[in-house]
C-alpha cells in the first residue's frame, strides 16, 4: 500500500501545486481550468479513510477546518452524526497545514465536507 501522507519537508514541495488546485474555500466550486477537483473544506476532527465506510482504515484526522480538493462522490455506508445523515462519501485530497500533511486518495464522509448538499451539484459520481 502506498503511504497516504507526506512529511513536512516533502509537503512544502507539493503545497504550491495544491494551492492552485484548491483555490478558494467554503463552498464547492470548480477548480481552475485543467484541474479535476472541486475546492472545498472539511470539518475539524474528520476521519480520512481508505474506503467509503467507517470500518475502513483511517489515514488521518483533520485538526481543524482544512482545505480539500474533491474529485468525485459515491454512495457508501449511511452515517448519522451531529444530527445529519447521509450515505454520500467524497474522494479526493485533504491538506492539513497545522501538521504539515497532505492526504491523497482518501474518502471523506459527506457530513464532514462543506459542499452544501449531498451529493453536491457539479461533482461527478466516481
Amino acid at each position: 500500500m502506498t503511504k497516504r501522507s507526506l512529511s513536512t519537508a516533502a509537503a512544502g514541495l507539493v503545497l504550491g501545486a495544491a494551492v492552485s488546485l484548491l483555490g478558494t474555500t467554503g463552498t464547492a466550486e470548480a477548480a481552475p481550468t485543467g484541474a479535476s477537483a472541486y475546492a472545498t473544506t472539511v470539518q475539524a476532527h474528520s476521519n480520512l479513510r481508505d474506503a467509503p465506510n467507517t470500518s475502513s482504515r483511517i489515514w488521518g484526522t483533520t485538526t481543524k477546518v482544512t482545505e480539500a480538493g474533491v474529485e468525485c462522490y459515491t454512495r457508501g455506508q449511511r452515517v448519522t452524526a451531529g444530527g445529519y445523515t447521509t450515505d454520500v462519501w467524497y474522494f479526493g485530497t485533504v491538506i492539513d497545514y497545522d501538521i504539515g500533511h497532505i492526504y491523497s486518495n482518501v474518502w471523506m464522509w459527506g457530513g464532514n465536507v462543506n459542499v452544501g448538499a449531498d451529493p453536491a451539484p457539479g461533482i461527478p459520481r466516481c
Side-chain angles (χ1 to χ4, degrees), residues 24-53:
T24 61
T25 61
T27 59
E29 298 178 39
T33 305
S36 62
Y38 293 81
T40 189
T41 57
V42 178
Q43 294 297 319
H45 313 295
S46 299
N47 290 326
L48 309 172
R49 297 186 175 272
D50 193 33
N53 60 67

PDB file of all heavy atoms in Angstrom, residues 24-53:
ATOM      1  N   THR A  24     -10.293  28.827  -3.731  1.00  0.00           N
ATOM      2  CA  THR A  24     -10.997  29.349  -2.567  1.00  0.00           C
ATOM      3  C   THR A  24     -11.563  28.216  -1.737  1.00  0.00           C
ATOM      4  O   THR A  24     -11.671  27.092  -2.194  1.00  0.00           O
ATOM      5  CB  THR A  24     -12.141  30.274  -3.012  1.00  0.00           C
ATOM      6  OG1 THR A  24     -13.049  29.505  -3.793  1.00  0.00           O
ATOM      7  CG2 THR A  24     -11.618  31.451  -3.806  1.00  0.00           C
ATOM      8  N   THR A  25     -11.983  28.560  -0.513  1.00  0.00           N
ATOM      9  CA  THR A  25     -12.566  27.556   0.359  1.00  0.00           C
ATOM     10  C   THR A  25     -13.959  27.970   0.772  1.00  0.00           C
ATOM     11  O   THR A  25     -14.351  29.109   0.630  1.00  0.00           O
ATOM     12  CB  THR A  25     -11.715  27.366   1.626  1.00  0.00           C
ATOM     13  OG1 THR A  25     -11.662  28.599   2.319  1.00  0.00           O
ATOM     14  CG2 THR A  25     -10.328  26.874   1.294  1.00  0.00           C
ATOM     15  N   GLY A  26     -14.715  27.018   1.294  1.00  0.00           N
ATOM     16  CA  GLY A  26     -16.019  27.321   1.854  1.00  0.00           C
ATOM     17  C   GLY A  26     -17.164  26.688   1.110  1.00  0.00           C
ATOM     18  O   GLY A  26     -18.118  26.240   1.704  1.00  0.00           O
ATOM     19  N   THR A  27     -17.124  26.650  -0.201  1.00  0.00           N
ATOM     20  CA  THR A  27     -18.186  26.021  -0.976  1.00  0.00           C
ATOM     21  C   THR A  27     -17.552  25.218  -2.092  1.00  0.00           C
ATOM     22  O   THR A  27     -16.412  25.458  -2.475  1.00  0.00           O
ATOM     23  CB  THR A  27     -19.128  27.069  -1.604  1.00  0.00           C
ATOM     24  OG1 THR A  27     -18.360  27.924  -2.449  1.00  0.00           O
ATOM     25  CG2 THR A  27     -19.838  27.885  -0.551  1.00  0.00           C
ATOM     26  N   ALA A  28     -18.307  24.295  -2.626  1.00  0.00           N
ATOM     27  CA  ALA A  28     -17.795  23.514  -3.744  1.00  0.00           C
ATOM     28  C   ALA A  28     -17.829  24.375  -4.994  1.00  0.00           C
ATOM     29  O   ALA A  28     -18.866  24.872  -5.391  1.00  0.00           O
ATOM     30  CB  ALA A  28     -18.636  22.255  -3.945  1.00  0.00           C
ATOM     31  N   GLU A  29     -16.686  24.569  -5.586  1.00  0.00           N
ATOM     32  CA  GLU A  29     -16.584  25.341  -6.809  1.00  0.00           C
ATOM     33  C   GLU A  29     -15.682  24.585  -7.754  1.00  0.00           C
ATOM     34  O   GLU A  29     -14.847  23.811  -7.336  1.00  0.00           O
ATOM     35  CB  GLU A  29     -15.954  26.704  -6.527  1.00  0.00           C
ATOM     36  CG  GLU A  29     -16.749  27.568  -5.578  1.00  0.00           C
ATOM     37  CD  GLU A  29     -16.035  28.878  -5.310  1.00  0.00           C
ATOM     38  OE1 GLU A  29     -15.443  29.435  -6.246  1.00  0.00           O
ATOM     39  OE2 GLU A  29     -16.078  29.326  -4.178  1.00  0.00           O
ATOM     40  N   ALA A  30     -15.838  24.868  -9.021  1.00  0.00           N
ATOM     41  CA  ALA A  30     -14.959  24.247  -9.996  1.00  0.00           C
ATOM     42  C   ALA A  30     -13.541  24.738  -9.740  1.00  0.00           C
ATOM     43  O   ALA A  30     -13.318  25.910  -9.482  1.00  0.00           O
ATOM     44  CB  ALA A  30     -15.397  24.610 -11.407  1.00  0.00           C
ATOM     45  N   ALA A  31     -12.595  23.825  -9.793  1.00  0.00           N
ATOM     46  CA  ALA A  31     -11.198  24.187  -9.625  1.00  0.00           C
ATOM     47  C   ALA A  31     -10.732  24.915 -10.877  1.00  0.00           C
ATOM     48  O   ALA A  31     -11.404  24.900 -11.899  1.00  0.00           O
ATOM     49  CB  ALA A  31     -10.379  22.913  -9.390  1.00  0.00           C
ATOM     50  N   PRO A  32      -9.584  25.549 -10.825  1.00  0.00           N
ATOM     51  CA  PRO A  32      -9.070  26.244 -12.004  1.00  0.00           C
ATOM     52  C   PRO A  32      -8.999  25.319 -13.215  1.00  0.00           C
ATOM     53  O   PRO A  32      -8.870  24.109 -13.082  1.00  0.00           O
ATOM     54  CB  PRO A  32      -7.669  26.679 -11.566  1.00  0.00           C
ATOM     55  CG  PRO A  32      -7.746  26.750 -10.085  1.00  0.00           C
ATOM     56  CD  PRO A  32      -8.714  25.674  -9.680  1.00  0.00           C
ATOM     57  N   THR A  33      -9.068  25.887 -14.399  1.00  0.00           N
ATOM     58  CA  THR A  33      -9.055  25.128 -15.643  1.00  0.00           C
ATOM     59  C   THR A  33      -7.923  24.118 -15.653  1.00  0.00           C
ATOM     60  O   THR A  33      -6.803  24.419 -15.279  1.00  0.00           O
ATOM     61  CB  THR A  33      -8.884  26.084 -16.838  1.00  0.00           C
ATOM     62  OG1 THR A  33      -9.916  27.069 -16.748  1.00  0.00           O
ATOM     63  CG2 THR A  33      -8.975  25.360 -18.149  1.00  0.00           C
ATOM     64  N   GLY A  34      -8.227  22.908 -16.062  1.00  0.00           N
ATOM     65  CA  GLY A  34      -7.233  21.863 -16.165  1.00  0.00           C
ATOM     66  C   GLY A  34      -7.165  20.969 -14.935  1.00  0.00           C
ATOM     67  O   GLY A  34      -6.603  19.898 -14.979  1.00  0.00           O
ATOM     68  N   ALA A  35      -7.726  21.385 -13.823  1.00  0.00           N
ATOM     69  CA  ALA A  35      -7.720  20.562 -12.611  1.00  0.00           C
ATOM     70  C   ALA A  35      -8.984  19.716 -12.593  1.00  0.00           C
ATOM     71  O   ALA A  35     -10.007  20.101 -13.135  1.00  0.00           O
ATOM     72  CB  ALA A  35      -7.649  21.448 -11.373  1.00  0.00           C
ATOM     73  N   SER A  36      -8.918  18.564 -11.950  1.00  0.00           N
ATOM     74  CA  SER A  36     -10.068  17.669 -11.941  1.00  0.00           C
ATOM     75  C   SER A  36     -10.787  17.646 -10.603  1.00  0.00           C
ATOM     76  O   SER A  36     -11.626  16.796 -10.376  1.00  0.00           O
ATOM     77  CB  SER A  36      -9.610  16.252 -12.293  1.00  0.00           C
ATOM     78  OG  SER A  36      -8.698  15.794 -11.321  1.00  0.00           O
ATOM     79  N   ALA A  37     -10.484  18.571  -9.696  1.00  0.00           N
ATOM     80  CA  ALA A  37     -11.083  18.554  -8.368  1.00  0.00           C
ATOM     81  C   ALA A  37     -11.882  19.827  -8.123  1.00  0.00           C
ATOM     82  O   ALA A  37     -11.713  20.826  -8.797  1.00  0.00           O
ATOM     83  CB  ALA A  37     -10.006  18.403  -7.302  1.00  0.00           C
ATOM     84  N   TYR A  38     -12.761  19.752  -7.127  1.00  0.00           N
ATOM     85  CA  TYR A  38     -13.566  20.883  -6.696  1.00  0.00           C
ATOM     86  C   TYR A  38     -13.060  21.335  -5.345  1.00  0.00           C
ATOM     87  O   TYR A  38     -12.887  20.527  -4.441  1.00  0.00           O
ATOM     88  CB  TYR A  38     -15.038  20.473  -6.607  1.00  0.00           C
ATOM     89  CG  TYR A  38     -15.604  20.164  -7.967  1.00  0.00           C
ATOM     90  CD1 TYR A  38     -15.384  18.934  -8.564  1.00  0.00           C
ATOM     91  CD2 TYR A  38     -16.329  21.118  -8.666  1.00  0.00           C
ATOM     92  CE1 TYR A  38     -15.872  18.661  -9.832  1.00  0.00           C
ATOM     93  CE2 TYR A  38     -16.824  20.855  -9.925  1.00  0.00           C
ATOM     94  CZ  TYR A  38     -16.593  19.621 -10.502  1.00  0.00           C
ATOM     95  OH  TYR A  38     -17.068  19.362 -11.761  1.00  0.00           O
ATOM     96  N   ALA A  39     -12.829  22.634  -5.199  1.00  0.00           N
ATOM     97  CA  ALA A  39     -12.283  23.182  -3.962  1.00  0.00           C
ATOM     98  C   ALA A  39     -13.374  23.286  -2.906  1.00  0.00           C
ATOM     99  O   ALA A  39     -14.473  23.735  -3.179  1.00  0.00           O
ATOM    100  CB  ALA A  39     -11.680  24.553  -4.227  1.00  0.00           C
ATOM    101  N   THR A  40     -13.045  22.867  -1.690  1.00  0.00           N
ATOM    102  CA  THR A  40     -13.969  22.943  -0.566  1.00  0.00           C
ATOM    103  C   THR A  40     -13.174  22.889   0.726  1.00  0.00           C
ATOM    104  O   THR A  40     -11.948  23.009   0.703  1.00  0.00           O
ATOM    105  CB  THR A  40     -15.021  21.816  -0.636  1.00  0.00           C
ATOM    106  OG1 THR A  40     -16.023  22.046   0.352  1.00  0.00           O
ATOM    107  CG2 THR A  40     -14.415  20.441  -0.466  1.00  0.00           C
ATOM    108  N   THR A  41     -13.857  22.705   1.837  1.00  0.00           N
ATOM    109  CA  THR A  41     -13.203  22.493   3.123  1.00  0.00           C
ATOM    110  C   THR A  41     -13.818  21.272   3.797  1.00  0.00           C
ATOM    111  O   THR A  41     -14.923  20.849   3.459  1.00  0.00           O
ATOM    112  CB  THR A  41     -13.341  23.714   4.053  1.00  0.00           C
ATOM    113  OG1 THR A  41     -14.715  24.016   4.237  1.00  0.00           O
ATOM    114  CG2 THR A  41     -12.605  24.920   3.495  1.00  0.00           C
ATOM    115  N   VAL A  42     -13.081  20.734   4.761  1.00  0.00           N
ATOM    116  CA  VAL A  42     -13.519  19.590   5.547  1.00  0.00           C
ATOM    117  C   VAL A  42     -13.514  20.014   7.009  1.00  0.00           C
ATOM    118  O   VAL A  42     -12.606  20.727   7.456  1.00  0.00           O
ATOM    119  CB  VAL A  42     -12.586  18.376   5.339  1.00  0.00           C
ATOM    120  CG1 VAL A  42     -13.014  17.199   6.183  1.00  0.00           C
ATOM    121  CG2 VAL A  42     -12.543  17.988   3.872  1.00  0.00           C
ATOM    122  N   GLN A  43     -14.506  19.596   7.761  1.00  0.00           N
ATOM    123  CA  GLN A  43     -14.633  19.957   9.170  1.00  0.00           C
ATOM    124  C   GLN A  43     -13.470  19.435  10.010  1.00  0.00           C
ATOM    125  O   GLN A  43     -12.834  18.444   9.668  1.00  0.00           O
ATOM    126  CB  GLN A  43     -15.942  19.407   9.743  1.00  0.00           C
ATOM    127  CG  GLN A  43     -17.172  20.030   9.140  1.00  0.00           C
ATOM    128  CD  GLN A  43     -17.249  21.513   9.432  1.00  0.00           C
ATOM    129  OE1 GLN A  43     -16.956  21.980  10.531  1.00  0.00           O
ATOM    130  NE2 GLN A  43     -17.618  22.287   8.427  1.00  0.00           N
ATOM    131  N   ALA A  44     -13.245  20.106  11.132  1.00  0.00           N
ATOM    132  CA  ALA A  44     -12.246  19.652  12.097  1.00  0.00           C
ATOM    133  C   ALA A  44     -12.642  18.279  12.647  1.00  0.00           C
ATOM    134  O   ALA A  44     -13.828  17.962  12.743  1.00  0.00           O
ATOM    135  CB  ALA A  44     -12.144  20.653  13.246  1.00  0.00           C
ATOM    136  N   HIS A  45     -11.657  17.483  12.962  1.00  0.00           N
ATOM    137  CA  HIS A  45     -11.822  16.155  13.576  1.00  0.00           C
ATOM    138  C   HIS A  45     -12.512  15.156  12.634  1.00  0.00           C
ATOM    139  O   HIS A  45     -13.178  14.230  13.095  1.00  0.00           O
ATOM    140  CB  HIS A  45     -12.559  16.252  14.910  1.00  0.00           C
ATOM    141  CG  HIS A  45     -12.023  17.325  15.796  1.00  0.00           C
ATOM    142  ND1 HIS A  45     -10.746  17.279  16.325  1.00  0.00           N
ATOM    143  CD2 HIS A  45     -12.555  18.493  16.208  1.00  0.00           C
ATOM    144  CE1 HIS A  45     -10.533  18.373  17.026  1.00  0.00           C
ATOM    145  NE2 HIS A  45     -11.610  19.129  16.975  1.00  0.00           N
ATOM    146  N   SER A  46     -12.340  15.350  11.327  1.00  0.00           N
ATOM    147  CA  SER A  46     -12.907  14.429  10.330  1.00  0.00           C
ATOM    148  C   SER A  46     -11.901  13.339  10.018  1.00  0.00           C
ATOM    149  O   SER A  46     -10.727  13.605   9.751  1.00  0.00           O
ATOM    150  CB  SER A  46     -13.233  15.186   9.038  1.00  0.00           C
ATOM    151  OG  SER A  46     -14.187  16.186   9.272  1.00  0.00           O
ATOM    152  N   ASN A  47     -12.368  12.097  10.042  1.00  0.00           N
ATOM    153  CA  ASN A  47     -11.508  10.978   9.685  1.00  0.00           C
ATOM    154  C   ASN A  47     -11.415  10.867   8.168  1.00  0.00           C
ATOM    155  O   ASN A  47     -12.419  10.958   7.467  1.00  0.00           O
ATOM    156  CB  ASN A  47     -12.049   9.674  10.261  1.00  0.00           C
ATOM    157  CG  ASN A  47     -11.906   9.621  11.757  1.00  0.00           C
ATOM    158  OD1 ASN A  47     -10.943  10.138  12.315  1.00  0.00           O
ATOM    159  ND2 ASN A  47     -12.857   9.006  12.424  1.00  0.00           N
ATOM    160  N   LEU A  48     -10.203  10.663   7.678  1.00  0.00           N
ATOM    161  CA  LEU A  48      -9.925  10.498   6.258  1.00  0.00           C
ATOM    162  C   LEU A  48      -9.650   9.018   6.049  1.00  0.00           C
ATOM    163  O   LEU A  48      -8.716   8.474   6.641  1.00  0.00           O
ATOM    164  CB  LEU A  48      -8.734  11.366   5.863  1.00  0.00           C
ATOM    165  CG  LEU A  48      -8.862  12.831   6.311  1.00  0.00           C
ATOM    166  CD1 LEU A  48      -7.566  13.581   6.054  1.00  0.00           C
ATOM    167  CD2 LEU A  48     -10.049  13.495   5.641  1.00  0.00           C
ATOM    168  N   ARG A  49     -10.460   8.377   5.225  1.00  0.00           N
ATOM    169  CA  ARG A  49     -10.472   6.911   5.188  1.00  0.00           C
ATOM    170  C   ARG A  49     -10.033   6.317   3.864  1.00  0.00           C
ATOM    171  O   ARG A  49      -9.997   6.985   2.837  1.00  0.00           O
ATOM    172  CB  ARG A  49     -11.861   6.420   5.545  1.00  0.00           C
ATOM    173  CG  ARG A  49     -12.257   6.797   6.970  1.00  0.00           C
ATOM    174  CD  ARG A  49     -13.579   6.170   7.347  1.00  0.00           C
ATOM    175  NE  ARG A  49     -13.908   6.429   8.727  1.00  0.00           N
ATOM    176  CZ  ARG A  49     -13.528   5.673   9.756  1.00  0.00           C
ATOM    177  NH1 ARG A  49     -12.818   4.597   9.552  1.00  0.00           N
ATOM    178  NH2 ARG A  49     -13.882   5.987  10.980  1.00  0.00           N
ATOM    179  N   ASP A  50      -9.786   5.015   3.922  1.00  0.00           N
ATOM    180  CA  ASP A  50      -9.346   4.217   2.786  1.00  0.00           C
ATOM    181  C   ASP A  50     -10.512   3.799   1.880  1.00  0.00           C
ATOM    182  O   ASP A  50     -10.307   3.478   0.719  1.00  0.00           O
ATOM    183  CB  ASP A  50      -8.620   2.980   3.324  1.00  0.00           C
ATOM    184  CG  ASP A  50      -7.853   2.227   2.267  1.00  0.00           C
ATOM    185  OD1 ASP A  50      -7.346   2.875   1.339  1.00  0.00           O
ATOM    186  OD2 ASP A  50      -7.744   0.997   2.378  1.00  0.00           O
ATOM    187  N   ALA A  51     -11.718   3.808   2.409  1.00  0.00           N
ATOM    188  CA  ALA A  51     -12.908   3.371   1.669  1.00  0.00           C
ATOM    189  C   ALA A  51     -14.118   4.120   2.242  1.00  0.00           C
ATOM    190  O   ALA A  51     -14.046   4.681   3.339  1.00  0.00           O
ATOM    191  CB  ALA A  51     -13.095   1.864   1.807  1.00  0.00           C
ATOM    192  N   PRO A  52     -15.236   4.132   1.519  1.00  0.00           N
ATOM    193  CA  PRO A  52     -16.412   4.901   1.968  1.00  0.00           C
ATOM    194  C   PRO A  52     -17.255   4.196   3.032  1.00  0.00           C
ATOM    195  O   PRO A  52     -18.451   3.972   2.872  1.00  0.00           O
ATOM    196  CB  PRO A  52     -17.187   5.126   0.672  1.00  0.00           C
ATOM    197  CG  PRO A  52     -16.827   3.979  -0.195  1.00  0.00           C
ATOM    198  CD  PRO A  52     -15.409   3.631   0.159  1.00  0.00           C
ATOM    199  N   ASN A  53     -16.607   3.856   4.149  1.00  0.00           N
ATOM    200  CA  ASN A  53     -17.311   3.262   5.287  1.00  0.00           C
ATOM    201  C   ASN A  53     -16.479   3.458   6.551  1.00  0.00           C
ATOM    202  O   ASN A  53     -15.275   3.667   6.480  1.00  0.00           O
ATOM    203  CB  ASN A  53     -17.618   1.781   5.041  1.00  0.00           C
ATOM    204  CG  ASN A  53     -16.364   0.980   4.822  1.00  0.00           C
ATOM    205  OD1 ASN A  53     -15.549   0.818   5.724  1.00  0.00           O
ATOM    206  ND2 ASN A  53     -16.190   0.471   3.599  1.00  0.00           N
TER     207      ASN A  53
END
